[in-house]
Amino acid sequence: MNFLAFLEEKISVLLLHLVFLLFVIMTLMFSQTHGFYIVLLLGLFVLCEGAVLVVTYMREKKEYDRIVALTDGLEEKYYVAEVLPKPRDIRGAAYYYALKEACRAMNGRIGALETEQREYREYVESFVHEIKIPISALSLTFDNNRDYALKKEADRANLLVEQMLYYARSGDTEKDYFVRKLSLEEAVHGAVLRFRHYLLERGIKVETSGLDVDIYTDEKWLGFILAQIIQNAVKYSDPAKPGRRLAVSAREDAHRVLLYIEDNGRGIPEADLPRIFEKGFTGADRKKKNATGMGLYLSKKLCRRLGLEISVDSVEKEYTRVCICFPKSGMREEE
């Protein structure tokens, strides 16, 4: 709120005062009042009017700044009507009433949407838990019968269902994760074992080094993130390239643990790199037959909520390297 805007708001009052001043001056002139007194009256009027305007502006500016600061300090701004002071003037009271009613209606709508969203999420979670049982049974049956083609499809269905579950939960991870001390080596090996048939089928050699370190995070969420990365490495491996490999290594310093997952598959085009974490992005030149564009998006989202950092470096037709950073500062083991 600047002074010019304030003057524009007061223009009608100023014009009224000016008309009244002209009327008084003309009356004094017709009554043959000495010019000195007319000039003195004009000066006093301008001085008093200016002083009133400045004081009024400072008071309203202070109130304006207070309301802006109060609003900016709210995390959920749709509750602003509950904390704003009720104005005393008639126009301000009307605006306050309109704002309060609008916020009340919006809060009711938000409450209904949150209830609907919660019920839908609960249904999705219940459905996923129920459907995973027969899918896992099918996968185990196909594995026992050595029918790896059907097992592959069952495992893919299981991964997609799992992805749906984690997407449903990704907006509310605070209620669903448990931070504790984990062996990075065990976490990586568990994720690799899930894809052992696919790695063997495509002749991808797994190399690990430096994984004998401990980290603090949620085991389930980390397992999901690692599964998405390894799944991409398998999916986008280059069948024409000899010596296909998946190298998993870790490096530790005083402040963090860096986990690197690198494959020598097709790589990612340079133009696609800035967008790989976008929701639904599958790339311009990569195969899209089995791509959902959700794996890296969810991985990024979950890493951010867990306080981790994830980045990808790649050169097309050479390699793709994913780095996950586990900070040590502020970590604690949940009892």
Side-chain angles (χ1 to χ4, degrees):
M1 180 181 184
N2 55 47
F3 191 68
L4 290 178
F6 171 76
L7 289 180
E8 289 179 4
E9 182 183 349
K10 303 294 183 182
I11 190 67
S12 58
V13 176
L14 291 175
L15 289 175
L16 179 63
H17 290 179
L18 181 60
V19 170
F20 179 75
L21 177 63
L22 291 175
F23 175 76
V24 171
I25 291 176
M26 292 180 64
T27 301
L28 293 176
M29 291 177 64
F30 279 120
S31 63
Q32 297 183 348
T33 302
H34 195 280
F36 171 77
Y37 296 106
I38 295 176
V39 173
L40 180 62
L41 177 64
L42 180 61
L44 287 174
F45 176 83
V46 171
L47 183 63
C48 292
E49 187 75 13
V52 170
L53 284 174
V54 169
V55 171
T56 304
Y57 170 74
M58 292 178 64
R59 185 177 67 250
E60 293 189 8
K61 180 68 164 57
K62 183 178 180 181
E63 183 67 12
Y64 172 87
D65 291 340
R66 188 172 74 88
I67 293 176
V68 169
L70 185 64
T71 304
D72 290 342
L74 288 175
E75 291 185 5
E76 298 174 333
K77 301 201 184 321
Y78 44 84
Y79 287 120
V80 65
E82 304 299 327
V83 298
L84 287 179
K86 186 175 182 179
R88 298 178 182 178
D89 60 291
I90 296 177
R91 186 175 66 171
Y95 283 128
Y96 177 79
Y97 173 79
L99 177 64
K100 202 171 183 66
E101 289 301 307
C103 287
R104 182 180 292 113
M106 183 172 62
N107 289 335
R109 179 59 177 162
I110 290 173
L113 289 174
E114 287 179 343
T115 300
E116 182 180 341
Q117 184 183 43
R118 183 177 63 255
E119 291 175 351
Y120 176 74
R121 185 172 64 247
E122 290 172 353
Y123 168 74
V124 169
E125 291 180 8
S126 176
F127 169 80
V128 169
H129 285 304
E130 292 297 326
I131 201 67
K132 279 175 70 70
I133 296 174
I135 292 176
S136 298
L138 284 173
S139 178
L140 182 60
T141 301
F142 295 143
D143 192 14
N144 291 335
N145 294 335
R146 300 183 182 278
D147 192 340
Y148 296 125
L150 290 177
K151 174 178 170 54
K152 180 179 178 181
E153 295 303 317
D155 288 345
R156 180 170 177 268
N158 189 54
L159 286 170
L160 290 173
V161 168
E162 186 179 67
Q163 193 176 84
M164 180 173 65
L165 173 64
Y166 279 84
Y167 179 69
R169 291 177 172 177
S170 63
D172 199 21
T173 55
E174 291 81 1
K175 298 180 181 179
D176 192 55
Y177 74 84
F178 180 71
V179 175
R180 66 184 184 89
K181 186 178 181 180
L182 297 176
S183 167
L184 183 57
E185 186 172 24
E186 292 180 4
V188 170
H189 285 173
V192 170
L193 282 175
R194 293 184 61 181
F195 298 91
R196 61 188 182 279
H197 293 297
Y198 307 99
L199 293 167
L200 290 172
E201 180 186 41
R202 302 208 177 192
I204 301 175
K205 182 181 179 181
V206 179
E207 302 172 354
T208 61
S209 63
L211 299 179
D212 188 20
V213 294
D214 293 325
I215 55 173
Y216 289 84
T217 190
D218 179 83
E219 185 175 10
K220 291 187 303 180
W221 295 101
L222 177 60
F224 174 80
I225 294 168
L226 294 176
Q228 300 307 304
I229 298 170
I230 296 173
Q231 181 185 23
N232 281 346
V234 173
K235 185 187 301 182
Y236 299 113
S237 62
D238 188 351
K241 181 180 291 187
R244 282 171 285 175
R245 65 183 180 84
L246 178 67
V248 186
S249 61
R251 181 169 60 86
E252 181 181 16
D253 58 30
H255 305 290
R256 58 186 181 173
V257 175
L258 297 174
L259 174 66
Y260 297 98
I261 305 173
E262 180 178 338
D263 66 78
N264 59 347
R266 299 177 192 152
I268 304 172
E270 185 178 357
D272 289 349
L273 273 176
R275 300 186 59 194
I276 58 174
F277 291 114
E278 292 181 9
K279 182 180 179 181
F281 182 72
T282 58
D285 301 320
R286 308 179 80 180
K287 285 186 177 180
K288 300 180 182 180
K289 181 180 177 182
N290 297 324
T292 63
M294 296 296 292
L296 287 179
Y297 164 75
L298 284 173
S299 297
K300 180 77 171 181
K301 188 174 183 180
L302 296 179
C303 281
R304 183 171 60 249
R305 290 186 174 273
L306 292 172
L308 311 180
E309 295 179 13
I310 183 171
S311 60
V312 176
D313 178 34
S314 182
V315 175
E316 190 175 9
K317 298 181 180 179
E318 291 189 20
Y319 71 89
T320 298
R321 183 190 303 117
V322 180
C323 176
I324 302 178
C325 175
F326 301 87
K328 292 182 178 181
S329 59
M331 289 183 174
R332 63 183 180 88
E333 183 176 0
E334 298 287 349
E335 298 296 339

